[in-house]
C-alpha cells in the first residue's frame, strides 16, 4: 500500500477564481448576450425569461436572491420526470430545452473562467505532491476542466508531447491510446464537461475545448468540438448519429449515479482510496447531503488509522488560523476521521507555508 491521493471539491475551483455553484446562474444572466452567440436556438434567452417569470430574477439582482442551481435543476428534473407543467406557457418539451440551456450556460461560464484565470496553483500542487516517476492520483467532485488542464500541462512538461489523464470510464475515442500517451489518474465523480455521452448506445467520447486544446494528442484523437456539442445541433454519435450530450451528474438534490461510465469511475475511486496511505482534501466541505461521496470516503479511508495522514485544506476568510474544532467544516471532518491535519488558509496559503 502506498501513495497519496488528492481529493478536490468546489473550493479548489474557487481558488482559481472559477465560479461556485451559486454564481453560475447570475453569470449566465449577466453574460446572456455573449452566450447567445453560441446558442442559435435561443435556449439561453428562454432560460433567462423563465428565471424572470417564475423565480423573480431581474437584472442586477445579488446572487443570494437567485434560486439555488441545485434547487432549480431538481425542480426541472422533477417536472420532467412526472411530465407535469409548471405553468401553461412552460410545457414539458420547453422544460427539456431549459435543462439543455442550463448545461450550455454552465459550460460557457466555466470555460470562460478557465480561459481568463491562471490555473498555476493546481499545477504547483501537482508538482509538489507527485514527484516523478510517481504520477498524480486525483478524485474530484468538479466537472470543470481546471485539473484536467493542469494535469495535461504537467504531462507535457515531464515528457513532450504529453498525455491525457486516465479517466477510467471507457471513453471510446481514446481507447486505442497506449500507456505512454496517458498520464495520471483523474476520477471525476460527477462527470466532466468534456465527456460527451450518447443516451441511445451509451458511447462516450472525449471532446476538445479551447482551454485544453494545447495538447497535440487532442488533435490526433479528433474528438468532437465541445462548443458545438453544447449548441443546438450538437455533435453526432460516431455509432448511431444521435446527438451527444455532456455527461454531468447535475448539481441537483436527486443526484443520479446510475450511468455505467460514472459507476466505473466510482469503482476505481474506491480502489484508489483503499490503496493510498495519505489523503489530501482541497476545498471539499463534506456537505451532509453528499451522502454517496461521504460513504465512499468513510469506507475508502477506514484503513488510515493515523488522522494526521489526512490533510484538509479549507478556506476561512475571517481567520485562516482557525482551529479544526472551531470551524463547521473542520468539525465535520473531525467527526468522520478524527483530528486531521487541518489548514484554513486556502490552497495558495497551504502551498506557500506547508508543503
Ligand atoms: Zn450512439
Amino acid at each position: 500500500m502506498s501513495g497519496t491521493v488528492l481529493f478536490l471539491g468546489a473550493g479548489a475551483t474557487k481558488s482559481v477564481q472559477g465560479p461556485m455553484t451559486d454564481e453560475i446562474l447570475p453569470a449566465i444572466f449577466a453574460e446572456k448576450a455573449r452566450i447567445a452567440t453560441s446558442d442559435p436556438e435561443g435556449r439561453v434567452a428562454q432560460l433567462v425569461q423563465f428565471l424572470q417569470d417564475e423565480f423573480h430574477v431581474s437584472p442586477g439582482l445579488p446572487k443570494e436572491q437567485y434560486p439555488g442551481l441545485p434547487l432549480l435543476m431538481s425542480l426541472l428534473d422533477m417536472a420532467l420526470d412526472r411530465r407535469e407543467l409548471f405553468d401553461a406557457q412552460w410545457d414539458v418539451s420547453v422544460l427539456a430545452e431549459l435543462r439543455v440551456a442550463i448545461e450550455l450556460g454552465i459550460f460557457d461560464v466555466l470555460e470562460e473562467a478557465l480561459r481568463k484565470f491562471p490555473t498555476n496553483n493546481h499545477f504547483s500542487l501537482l508538482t509538489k505532491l507527485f514527484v516523478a516517476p510517481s504520477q498524480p492520483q486525483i478524485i474530484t467532485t468538479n466537472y470543470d476542466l481546471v485539473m484536467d488542464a493542469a494535469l495535461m500541462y504537467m504531462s507535457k512538461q515531464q515528457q513532450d508531447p504529453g498525455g491525457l489523464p486516465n479517466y477510467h470510464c471507457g471513453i471510446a475515442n481514446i481507447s486505442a491510446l497506449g500507456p505512454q500517451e496517458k498520464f495520471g489518474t483523474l476520477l471525476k465523480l460527477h462527470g466532466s464537461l468534456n465527456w460527451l455521452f450518447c443516451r441511445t448506445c451509451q458511447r462516450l467520447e472525449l471532446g476538445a475545448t479551447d482551454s485544453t486544446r494545447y495538447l497535440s494528442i487532442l488533435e490526433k484523437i479528433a474528438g468532437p468540438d465541445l462548443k458545438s456539442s453544447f449548441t443546438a445541433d450538437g455533435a453526432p454519435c460516431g455509432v448511431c448519429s444521435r446527438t451527444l450530450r455532456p455527461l454531468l451528474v447535475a448539481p441537483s438534490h436527486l443526484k443520479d449515479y446510475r450511468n455505467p461510465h460514472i459507476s466505473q469511475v466510482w469503482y476505481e475511486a474506491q480502489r484508489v482510496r483503499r490503496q493510498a496511505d495519505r489523503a489530501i482534501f482541497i476545498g471539499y466541505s463534506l456537505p451532509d447531503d453528499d451522502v454517496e461521496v461521504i460513504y465512499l470516503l468513510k469506507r475508502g479511508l477506514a484503513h488510515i488509522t493515523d488522522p494526521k495522514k489526512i490533510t484538509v485544506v479549507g478556506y476561512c476568510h475571517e481567520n485562516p488560523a482557525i482551529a479544526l474544532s472551531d470551524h463547521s467544516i473542520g468539525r465535520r471532518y473531525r467527526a468522520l476521521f478524527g483530528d486531521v491535519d487541518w489548514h484554513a488558509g486556502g490552497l495558495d496559503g497551504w502551498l506557500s507555508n506547508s508543503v
Side-chain angles (χ1 to χ4, degrees):
M1 189 185 300
S2 67
T4 296
V5 62
L6 187 59
F7 190 100
L8 305 177
T13 293
K14 182 71 183 168
S15 76
V16 295
Q17 301 182 49
M20 299 291 276
T21 300
D22 66 348
E23 293 166 337
I24 288 178
L25 281 180
I28 293 173
F29 201 93
E31 296 172 35
K32 54 185 182 287
R34 183 181 56 73
I35 301 174
T37 60
S38 49
D39 177 32
E41 300 279 296
R43 288 175 170 135
V44 170
Q46 205 167 29
L47 174 64
V48 166
Q49 192 64 48
F50 180 71
L51 288 172
Q52 285 177 329
D53 292 358
E54 304 292 330
F55 290 94
H56 317 284
V57 167
S58 55
L61 198 70
K63 67 176 185 183
E64 293 76 19
Q65 295 194 39
Y66 277 71
L69 184 60
L71 176 67
L72 179 70
M73 294 186 90
S74 303
L75 293 174
L76 288 174
D77 285 347
M78 206 175 271
L80 284 169
D81 188 46
R82 298 178 182 179
R83 306 197 67 74
E84 291 171 345
L85 306 187
F86 266 88
D87 186 286
Q89 64 167 315
W90 303 106
D91 70 25
V92 173
S93 64
V94 179
L95 294 186
E97 300 279 295
L98 293 177
R99 197 69 173 62
V100 175
I102 295 176
E103 286 177 357
L104 168 64
I106 292 175
F107 168 74
D108 207 286
V109 168
L110 292 177
E111 178 72 358
E112 182 70 8
L114 188 53
R115 281 200 311 113
K116 275 189 200 152
F117 302 117
T119 56
N120 303 2
N121 65 7
H122 278 58
F123 178 66
S124 314
L125 176 68
L126 294 181
T127 51
K128 287 187 177 178
L129 293 181
F130 303 99
V131 177
S134 92
Q135 294 195 1
Q137 301 190 97
I138 305 146
I139 303 174
T140 178
T141 62
N142 302 329
Y143 43 77
D144 61 59
L145 304 178
V146 176
M147 186 45 96
D148 308 57
L151 203 52
M152 289 179 200
Y153 187 69
M154 184 183 189
S155 76
K156 200 167 154 59
Q157 296 283 305
Q158 288 199 359
Q159 192 163 16
D160 204 47
L164 288 172
N166 277 296
Y167 289 113
H168 288 276
C169 58
I171 298 173
N173 60 333
I174 61 171
S175 59
L177 294 182
Q180 74 286 357
E181 293 171 302
K182 302 265 183 80
F183 180 80
T185 295
L186 183 56
L187 303 169
K188 305 187 82 169
L189 301 176
H190 289 170
S192 183
L193 285 173
N194 61 349
W195 298 352
L196 297 169
F197 178 63
C198 174
R199 283 170 172 73
T200 306
C201 69
Q202 304 205 325
R203 181 181 166 91
L204 189 64
E205 294 192 25
L206 189 77
T209 72
D210 287 343
S211 59
T212 53
R213 207 183 291 281
Y214 57 79
L215 208 63
S216 59
I217 243 173
L218 282 168
E219 305 292 335
K220 197 169 106 183
I221 61 165
D225 177 74
L226 274 184
K227 189 122 190 166
S228 64
S229 304
F230 280 84
T231 54
D233 301 333
C237 168
V239 174
C240 72
S241 302
R242 290 292 298 270
T243 304
L244 296 169
R245 303 297 323 164
L247 180 53
L248 305 179
V249 177
S252 82
H253 297 297
L254 313 163
K255 293 192 187 78
D256 184 356
Y257 296 112
R258 285 172 299 181
N259 179 285
H261 299 288
I262 298 284
S263 299
Q264 210 178 329
V265 170
W266 279 70
Y267 172 79
E268 189 63 20
Q270 189 77 260
R271 196 189 65 75
V272 165
R273 281 250 159 240
R274 291 218 167 137
Q275 292 187 352
D277 55 14
R278 188 175 177 216
I280 297 170
F281 290 87
I282 311 283
Y284 181 62
S285 63
L286 274 183
D288 280 348
D289 64 352
D290 242 355
V291 182
E292 299 268 2
V293 175
I294 295 173
Y295 184 69
L296 170 86
L297 296 173
K298 182 68 181 152
R299 275 169 38 84
L301 295 178
H303 63 282
I304 300 185
T305 49
D306 177 3
K308 295 299 178 203
K309 294 271 187 190
I310 298 176
T311 295
V312 178
V313 180
Y315 181 64
C316 180
H317 179 68
E318 296 77 24
N319 178 12
I322 192 166
L324 173 76
S325 54
D326 292 335
H327 196 280
S328 58
I329 294 174
R331 285 193 294 269
R332 291 208 281 271
Y333 275 95
R334 194 179 172 285
L336 282 177
F337 305 116
D339 284 312
V340 297
D341 172 36
W342 161 256
H343 304 266
L347 175 55
D348 291 306
W350 183 64
L351 283 173
S352 53
N353 297 325
S354 312
V355 187

